[in-house]
């Protein structure tokens, strides 16, 4: 294998970051209209409670550092935060009208289903882009003479792994597509935690699987939505299909059995372990010490690929 010129590596990395998958992921998958930057967390409702001067806080890659990958806390405009190019304007408005135009109702099965559905669609879109990016970088490595493309190579295996994960998530979404078209919202079950009193602190819409080492087949998966709905109330929604109910409830059991500050800690740590699609209220961020900001960033970066058993008082996000 040929050595990698740092300038070439940087060029390949940033060219791959420019790859976009612009596709409407509506249930029938026949729509050819261009996708818009759709919000996975409501702009009008939730962001109204979190933003300051039109911005929220988020961890983002530092593109100014060419030497290594690092994350920094950044101000993100509310109109860009938590967005993804997964639906055209018509389907985004039509599919999610019940949760984008009505007050949150924790007893409404359709609303709960749609929160989970949007989290799954967003994750599928991210995985599709990751798959295309890793394949693009692998092809660039072959063209540069770093890899030869004729034998098993780490970069090529990573590309295949991303494609397999994307396909598995696509299959999962097709189950939800059929349920949505049939209005069979009971296919998804939910566990809901109400935090009150709780000032608006964070919002998230994510979808992730459990530790794959424990499962021979596809691992159980969870959609997690964290939604401030007023100045003193936040809902945490765990969503999962019936077939995953037992292992998921076991996995989040400590959260469901706890309360108060410890419950918030467990929710915060779970989010940092598995998710990157979350934003923080600037008013809360201002109260964090530099050591807390660094600890959250470092733990998040550490767990992107490898997971962690680390515990810290700094992991509170509320």
């Amino acid at each position: 294998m040929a050595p990698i010129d740092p300038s070439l590596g940087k060029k390949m990395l940033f060219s791959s970051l420019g790859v976009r998958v612009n596709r409407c992921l509506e249930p029938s998958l026949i729509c050819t209209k261009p996708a818009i930057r759709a919000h996975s967390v409501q702009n009008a409702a939730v962001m109204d409670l979190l933003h300051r001067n039109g911005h929220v806080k988020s961890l983002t890659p530092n593109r100014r550092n060419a030497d290594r990958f690092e994350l920094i806390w950044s101000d993100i405009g509310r109109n860009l935060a938590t967005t993804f190019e997964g639906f055209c304007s018509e389907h985004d408005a039509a599919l999610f009208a019940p949760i984008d135009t009505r007050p949150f109702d924790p007893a409404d099965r359709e609303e709960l289903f749609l929160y989970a559905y949007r989290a799954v669609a967003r994750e599928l879109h991210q995985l599709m882009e990751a798959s295309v990016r890793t394949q693009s970088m692998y092809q660039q490595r072959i063209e540069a003479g770093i890899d030869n493309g004729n034998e098993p190579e780490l970069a090529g295996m990573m590309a295949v792994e991303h494609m397999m994960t994307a396909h598995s998530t696509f299959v999962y979404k097709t189950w939800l597509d059929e349920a949505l078209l049939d209005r069979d919202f009971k296919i998804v079950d939910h566990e809901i935690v109400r935090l009150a009193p709780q000032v608006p602190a964070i919002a998230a819409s994510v979808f992730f699987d459990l530790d794959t080492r424990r499962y021979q087949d596809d691992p159980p998966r969870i959609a997690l939505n964290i939604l401030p709905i007023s100045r003193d109330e936040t809902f945490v929604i765990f969503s999962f299909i019936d077939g995953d109910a037992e292992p998921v409830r076991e996995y989040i059991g400590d959260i469901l059995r706890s309360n108060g500050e410890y419950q918030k800690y467990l929710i915060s740590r779970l989010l940092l372990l598995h998710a990157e699609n979350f934003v923080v209220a600037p008013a809360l961020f201002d109260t964090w010490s530099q050591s807390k900001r660094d600890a959250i960033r470092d733990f998040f970066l550490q767990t992107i690929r490898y997971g962690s058993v680390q515990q810290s008082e700094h992991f509170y996000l509320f």
Side-chain angles (χ1 to χ4, degrees):
M1 183 179 71
I4 301 177
D5 183 335
S7 63
L8 176 60
K10 178 184 175 183
K11 179 181 178 181
M12 289 192 296
L13 173 62
F14 284 100
S15 66
S16 70
L17 290 176
V19 172
R20 293 289 181 268
V21 174
N22 186 286
R23 173 70 186 274
C24 182
L25 299 176
E26 52 85 22
S28 71
L29 291 178
I30 62 175
C31 179
T32 59
K33 295 179 181 178
I36 62 170
R37 295 191 68 90
H39 283 269
S40 56
V41 173
Q42 296 96 317
N43 187 14
V46 175
M47 294 298 175
D48 274 348
L49 295 169
L50 292 175
H51 84 96
R52 182 175 62 200
N53 299 325
H55 291 81
V56 290
K57 288 287 184 179
S58 180
L59 283 168
T60 62
N62 181 11
R63 298 196 179 192
R64 296 181 178 179
N65 190 339
D67 298 327
R68 63 186 178 91
F69 178 81
E70 66 176 4
L71 295 174
I72 57 174
W73 288 102
S74 303
D75 287 316
I76 304 296
R78 60 178 290 175
N79 292 326
L80 293 177
T82 78
T83 58
F84 69 108
E85 295 176 340
F87 295 98
C88 72
S89 59
E90 292 183 15
H91 281 110
D92 183 62
L95 288 171
F96 302 109
I99 57 178
D100 287 341
T101 63
R102 300 199 303 240
F104 174 70
D105 180 358
D108 190 316
R109 293 299 293 259
E110 180 182 17
E111 288 188 29
L112 296 176
F113 178 95
L114 288 173
Y115 281 114
Y117 183 79
R118 187 150 60 183
V120 172
R122 192 258 176 194
E123 179 65 11
L124 173 59
H125 179 266
Q126 295 298 104
L127 289 170
M128 290 167 61
E129 285 198 340
S131 179
V132 174
R133 287 171 182 167
T134 52
Q135 184 60 38
S136 172
M137 287 195 69
Y138 181 46
Q139 187 61 41
Q140 290 181 68
R141 289 171 64 92
I142 294 174
E143 294 171 357
I146 300 170
D147 294 326
N148 62 45
N150 296 319
E151 59 187 53
E153 295 165 314
L154 179 60
M157 289 187 288
M158 288 181 61
V160 172
E161 179 183 344
H162 276 86
M163 286 187 283
M164 292 175 62
T165 304
H167 179 263
S168 176
T169 306
F170 170 77
V171 172
Y172 189 102
K173 181 179 175 293
T174 60
W175 299 338
L176 302 191
D177 290 336
E178 294 175 5
L180 179 58
L181 294 172
D182 294 339
R183 298 188 62 79
D184 181 18
F185 304 125
K186 293 181 180 179
I187 191 177
V188 178
D189 205 353
H190 314 274
E191 291 288 351
I192 302 175
V193 176
R194 175 178 176 267
L195 303 179
Q198 175 61 55
V199 299
I202 62 173
S205 177
V206 299
F207 179 65
F208 57 90
D209 60 47
L210 306 189
D211 186 350
T212 56
R213 290 170 296 182
R214 292 180 53 191
Y215 304 96
Q216 294 181 348
D217 300 318
D218 287 342
R221 297 175 167 115
I222 310 173
L224 169 60
N225 283 276
I226 301 177
L227 307 171
I229 66 164
S230 71
R231 292 293 176 186
D232 62 358
E233 190 174 24
T234 291
F235 279 86
V236 180
I237 310 165
F238 299 96
S239 305
F240 42 89
I241 59 175
D242 290 343
D244 290 342
E246 182 177 350
V248 167
R249 285 195 168 99
E250 177 187 354
Y251 188 74
I252 62 174
D254 287 345
I255 292 175
L256 301 179
R257 289 187 293 268
S258 60
N259 54 57
E261 294 304 306
Y262 183 58
Q263 185 180 56
K264 294 178 185 179
Y265 171 78
L266 293 177
I267 294 169
S268 300
R269 190 177 183 280
L270 180 70
L271 182 64
L272 292 172
L273 269 173
H274 293 288
E276 40 75 37
N277 188 38
F278 70 94
V279 294
V280 179
L284 173 66
F285 184 83
D286 288 348
T287 69
W288 292 354
S289 65
Q290 189 61 51
S291 58
K292 179 181 177 73
R293 298 173 186 178
D294 292 345
I296 291 173
R297 179 204 61 205
D298 294 345
F299 180 70
F300 176 81
L301 184 59
Q302 175 187 354
T303 59
I304 284 178
R305 186 168 178 83
Y306 299 107
S308 175
V309 296
Q310 181 183 351
Q311 306 284 341
S312 171
E313 62 181 352
H314 290 313
F315 296 162
Y316 280 94
L317 295 175
F318 293 93

